[in-house]
Amino acid sequence: MRILVVDDEKDVELLFRQKFRKEIKNKSLELVFAFSGQEALEMLEKSVPPKVIYIFSDINMPGMTGLELLDKVKGKYPQIKVSMISAYGDTDNYNKAIESGAKEFFTKPIDFESLREEINGLIN
């Protein structure tokens, strides 16, 4: 299963690779990374249909926000599940994300056990 992580903070890649090293090693999970909403859309367009089945995106990014990315993904690729993350657990972002079709909403620091359960639910 291929997951796309979208976050403008580059250190997120190392963190995700550490937290999911077992799943990556046994090839049950493939992580790919984009560092902007635009880069994420370009990655999705490289294969038809996209090989990504789940997107985990930060909300607050320069340029295209995670909520704008969510709208574009849901409009063009409704089969892809998208969860959002924010450093701010504010109700406004939560409501916008869920109303726009987000599967889940996480706050930083990420609870990786909850995220693992979310991902395992998609695999099984």
Side-chain angles (χ1 to χ4, degrees):
M1 176 171 73
R2 180 181 281 184
I3 292 177
L4 173 58
V5 179
V6 186
D7 197 314
D8 60 308
E9 296 178 29
K10 302 228 185 234
D11 58 341
V12 165
E13 181 174 358
L14 180 60
L15 180 63
F16 270 77
R17 290 196 186 283
Q18 286 174 339
K19 295 292 185 179
F20 291 102
R21 66 182 172 271
K22 186 174 96 181
E23 292 85 349
I24 293 168
K25 187 176 180 183
N26 71 24
K27 299 194 186 315
S28 65
L29 186 62
E30 180 185 354
L31 296 176
V32 290
F33 296 85
F35 300 102
S36 71
Q38 186 60 44
E39 184 181 355
L41 289 177
E42 289 167 7
M43 290 176 85
L44 293 174
E45 291 168 359
K46 285 183 180 174
S47 64
V48 179
K51 294 179 180 164
V52 169
I53 67 160
Y54 184 73
I55 296 173
F56 188 71
S57 177
D58 190 14
I59 286 181
N60 298 307
M61 297 184 289
M64 183 187 306
T65 69
L67 292 172
E68 291 168 330
L69 174 63
L70 173 62
D71 284 338
K72 289 180 186 298
V73 169
K74 285 301 179 184
K76 194 166 184 179
Y77 310 105
Q79 76 281 11
I80 297 177
K81 306 279 188 254
V82 182
S83 288
M84 306 304 297
I85 182 165
S86 177
Y88 316 99
D90 66 274
T91 313
D92 192 39
N93 273 339
Y94 173 85
N95 289 337
K96 283 181 190 171
I98 299 302
E99 288 167 9
S100 296
K103 183 170 184 338
E104 195 60 63
F105 186 93
F106 294 88
T107 55
K108 292 181 180 178
I110 302 166
D111 177 350
F112 278 96
E113 280 311 306
S114 293
L115 180 57
R116 184 172 275 109
E117 289 173 19
E118 178 82 12
I119 291 169
N120 286 337
L122 295 171
I123 295 172
N124 300 325

